Amino acid sequence: MALTFDTLAEVALARDLLRRWWGLELGLAEANGDGADRTSNVTAQTIMKLSPDYAGSMREAAALASAAKTAIVHRDHAGLTIVACTVRGGDGKPTGLVYSSGGRYQVDAATLAHSITAITGITTEAAAMAAAVPALDDLAIARITDLVTAAARACERAQPAIIPPTTWTHPFTEIVGDAPAVREVVKLLTKVVKSEATVLIHGESGTGKELIARAIHYHGPRAKKPFVVQNCSAFNDNLLESALFGHQRGSFTGAVKDQKGLFETADGGTFFLDEIGDMSAALQVKLLRVLQEGTFMPVGGTKPVRVDVRIVAASHKDLQTMVQHKQFREDLFYRVNVLKITVPQLRERVSDIPRLVGHFLKKHTPNGTPPRLSAGALARLMAYPWPGNIRELENEIERMLVLAAGATELTASMVSTRVAGAAISAPRPLRDVVDVAEADAITAALGRQVGDRDAAAAELGVSPGYLEARRGALGLRSE
Ligand SMILES: Nc1ncnc2c1ncn2[C@@H]1O[C@H](COP(=O)(O)OP(=O)(O)OP(=O)(O)O)[C@@H](O)[C@H]1O
Ligand SMILES: [Mg+2]
C-alpha cells in the first residue's frame, strides 16, 4: 500500500493517541498481513524477531479483519493482542491492513511470561518483559478498535479514486456523462442534428446548454458554416437589435457606416440565441418574423434581408411560465419550442461527477499526465450540491490543479472550503473532539503535578473522584 502515515493528519492523530494513552504503536501492513514491522514494545519486538509464528498471527488477523467491517481483536501466538482493520479500495477489495499490536488483553502477566519463555527460550527476563507489556481492559480495547478503524478509513480516503469507465459510446464525445438523464439528451440529439427544426434548450446556468448547442451545429449538415452565439441579456435593447440585425449608416448617432448583423454572419449556419427569455417584446416580434419568413429589416433599413439560419435558443427561465405571465409572446414560444431539450442539473446526475472530474483533469492538463484524485477528495466533490452545476465543478477542478502545482495527486485538503464545507459539516461525533481535549488537559495536569492526583484535580477544578472517573473513561489510567 503506497501510503505513508505522515501525510495523513487523521492517521497521525490516531497514532499519537495510541502512543499517549496506552504506549501502543500503529502499523501498516499488506492486505494479507505481510510486511508488518511495527510493534508496540520490546517484548513484542523480541517475540517477532525470534518467532516466525508472529507472521502467521498477523496473517490470521488479516484474514479475520478482511471479513469484518470494523477492526477485529485477535490474540497472537504469544498472547499479545492484535487490533487490525482492513483498508479497502474503491472496488471493495482489501488493499492493506492497519493494526496495533503488543498490548496484553485478558492475559495475566504470569501466563504471558510462560509463553514468552516457550516461544523465545528466554527464561530469566521473561517475567520482567511480560510485566512491561501494557495491560488493556475492555474500555481500552473498545477505544483502540475505534482508533484503528478511524485510521483505516482515513487511509481509504487517501487512496486514488476509481473513475468508472463509460461503457456507452455515442458520436457526441464532447458530452461527458452516463446518467439516465444524459442518455435521454444524447438520444434526442441524434434526432435533432438530422432535422432543421428550431431547438429550445432549457437548463439551469452552467448545465452545458452552450455545449449542446455547439454539438447540434457541429454534428449536423451545417457544420462547415458559421456557428454564431449571442447572449440576449448582455445588451440594452437598441444595441442588441443592431447586433442581431445590423444597421444602415446614419440610422442612429454613431452609426457611421453600414454594419452587417449577426443573422447575416450566421447565414447558412446556426445561430445560438442564449437567454432568449431576456429579449424585449419589440425584439421578440422581429425574431418571430425571421422564424416565420426568413427575413428581417436592419435598423434604419428599407428593404428586408433574407437569410437561411437555423435557430437554437436557450433559456434558464421557463418560457411556458413566462407566456402565462405575458412576459414572452405565445406565438414566438411555439415557433421556438419545436424541439425541446431539457438539460439536467448536476445534482440530479451525481453518478457522473467522477467521469466529469476525470474529463476536466485531462482537459486542463494539456501537456502530460493529469494528477490522480484521492478518494477523499472525490467524496467531498460528490457531497456538494453544485448550484453552479458543471461550470462550477470545472472551475473547482481548475482551482485544484493550480493549487497542486504539478503534484501527482489531488487530495481532500485541496478542495475549496466552500465545497468541502458540505462534506465537513456532515455528522461527526463531538464526543471525540471533546475527549481528545479533555485527555490532553488531564495528562498535562498530572504531568505538572508529577502524578499527584489530588493536586492535579485541584488544578483542574474537579474532585479527585471525578478525575479518577474521567481517567477511567478516557482510558488514561495506568496499572
Ligand atoms: N456533459 C458535459 N461534458 C463535458 N463538459 C461539459 C458538459 N456540460 C458542460 N460542460 C462544460 O461545462 C462548462 C459550462 O458549460 P456551458 O457553457 O455549455 O453551460 P451553460 O448552460 O451554457 O452555462 P451558462 O448558463 O452559465 O451560460 C463548459 O466548459 C462546458 O464545456
Ligand atoms: Mg451559456
Side-chain angles (χ1 to χ4, degrees):
M1 204 165 44
L3 293 170
T4 58
F5 280 174
D6 306 316
T7 59
L8 290 169
E10 290 141 300
V11 178
L13 177 66
R15 185 188 55 193
D16 288 349
L17 292 177
L18 279 167
R19 276 187 191 154
R20 190 136 49 91
W21 292 358
W22 302 286
L24 298 179
E25 279 294 325
L26 194 64
L28 192 61
E30 303 291 328
N32 65 359
D34 284 352
D37 60 353
R38 239 181 232 254
T39 55
S40 299
N41 50 52
V42 181
T43 307
Q45 275 167 30
T46 309
I47 293 171
M48 193 169 93
K49 281 199 197 94
L50 295 180
S51 155
D53 284 352
Y54 184 81
S57 295
M58 277 307 293
R59 271 191 228 109
E60 277 167 30
L64 283 172
S66 83
K69 278 210 173 72
T70 57
I72 56 93
V73 183
H74 183 61
R75 187 177 297 173
D76 77 8
H77 63 298
L80 298 172
T81 301
I82 299 172
V83 179
C85 188
T86 297
V87 177
R88 290 175 204 282
D91 54 3
K93 297 216 179 74
T95 56
L97 187 76
V98 171
Y99 68 93
S100 169
S101 78
R104 175 158 57 83
Y105 176 54
Q106 294 178 348
V107 177
D108 58 56
T111 311
L112 184 60
H114 271 295
S115 58
I116 292 172
T117 305
I119 291 164
T120 64
I122 298 170
T123 46
T124 45
E125 303 145 18
M129 282 172 76
V133 174
L136 310 170
D137 58 11
D138 286 327
L139 186 71
I141 287 291
R143 297 197 143 258
I144 293 166
T145 306
D146 281 352
L147 288 171
V148 169
T149 305
R153 294 293 170 267
C155 288
E156 275 170 3
R157 287 192 293 275
Q159 297 181 101
I162 294 176
I163 294 175
T166 309
T167 48
W168 181 50
T169 54
H170 55 79
F172 304 93
T173 48
E174 70 274 35
I175 300 175
V176 176
D178 215 343
V182 182
R183 291 189 179 219
E184 278 306 308
V185 168
V186 168
K187 220 162 72 189
L188 206 55
L189 274 180
T190 45
K191 292 182 194 142
V192 165
V193 292
K194 287 183 206 132
S195 93
E196 282 283 319
T198 304
V199 184
L200 175 63
I201 305 171
H202 177 64
E204 273 190 15
S205 84
T207 45
K209 297 187 292 294
E210 185 163 340
L211 182 77
I212 287 168
R214 283 179 192 278
I216 292 170
H217 175 75
Y218 287 104
H219 290 268
R222 294 172 178 255
K224 297 220 155 59
K225 294 293 171 74
F227 176 76
V228 175
V229 183
Q230 178 59 55
N231 187 319
C232 302
S233 54
F235 281 93
N236 73 36
D237 213 36
N238 291 338
L239 280 175
L240 180 60
E241 178 173 8
S242 132
L244 293 178
F245 305 110
H247 58 252
Q248 230 101 74
R249 184 162 72 100
S251 55
F252 54 87
T253 325
V256 288
K257 56 177 190 198
D258 287 3
Q259 177 70 51
K260 218 165 66 163
L262 292 171
F263 266 103
E264 271 186 271
T265 310
D267 197 19
T270 308
F271 198 167
F272 177 47
L273 287 167
D274 205 357
E275 296 308 346
I276 193 174
D278 290 347
M279 232 181 203
S280 70
L283 284 181
Q284 287 179 30
V285 179
K286 284 199 124 188
L287 179 60
L288 182 64
R289 177 170 171 180
V290 184
L291 285 169
Q292 280 175 336
E293 294 159 29
T295 61
F296 62 86
M297 195 75 81
V299 178
T302 45
K303 51 177 194 304
V305 179
R306 173 162 298 277
V307 283
D308 164 30
V309 172
R310 181 182 195 178
I311 305 283
V312 177
S315 175
H316 77 278
K317 296 178 185 161
D318 182 29
L319 294 187
Q320 182 113 52
T321 314
M322 292 185 73
V323 169
Q324 280 159 18
H325 291 97
K326 306 255 179 288
Q327 292 159 335
F328 199 81
R329 289 183 70 101
E330 190 168 15
D331 46 8
L332 178 59
F333 172 71
Y334 288 115
R335 283 284 172 175
V336 169
N337 193 41
V338 181
L339 293 167
K340 187 178 178 190
I341 298 179
T342 305
V343 197
Q345 297 167 24
L346 185 51
R347 59 181 163 278
E348 291 165 20
R349 42 185 292 212
V350 173
S351 63
D352 276 341
I353 290 179
R355 252 177 235 110
L356 284 163
V357 169
H359 169 72
F360 292 135
L361 287 175
K362 277 196 214 110
K363 179 175 168 184
H364 297 291
T365 315
N367 318 304
T369 327
R372 288 176 321 200
L373 185 80
S374 81
L378 182 62
R380 287 182 178 193
L381 296 176
M382 291 183 75
Y384 183 65
W386 300 108
N389 292 295
I390 299 184
R391 181 188 302 289
E392 190 184 7
L393 176 65
E394 182 169 7
N395 291 343
E396 180 72 17
I397 298 301
E398 284 189 76
R399 189 190 153 277
M400 287 174 77
L401 284 169
V402 170
L403 272 187
T408 54
E409 179 153 295
L410 302 182
T411 61
S413 63
M414 294 174 192
V415 177
S416 68
T417 43
R418 185 170 42 90
V419 172
I424 290 171
S425 60
R428 180 198 174 97
L430 180 63
R431 193 201 67 182
D432 286 1
V433 181
V434 175
D435 280 3
V436 170
E438 200 181 356
D440 262 336
I442 293 174
T443 311
L446 284 167
R448 276 192 297 273
Q449 305 299 339
V450 214
D452 182 337
R453 268 192 300 128
D454 292 355
E459 187 192 314
L460 292 165
V462 297
S463 71
Y466 181 79
L467 177 63
E468 271 316 288
R470 292 312 294 156
R471 283 179 75 193
L474 295 166
L476 287 176
R477 217 180 344 235
S478 50
E479 287 286 288

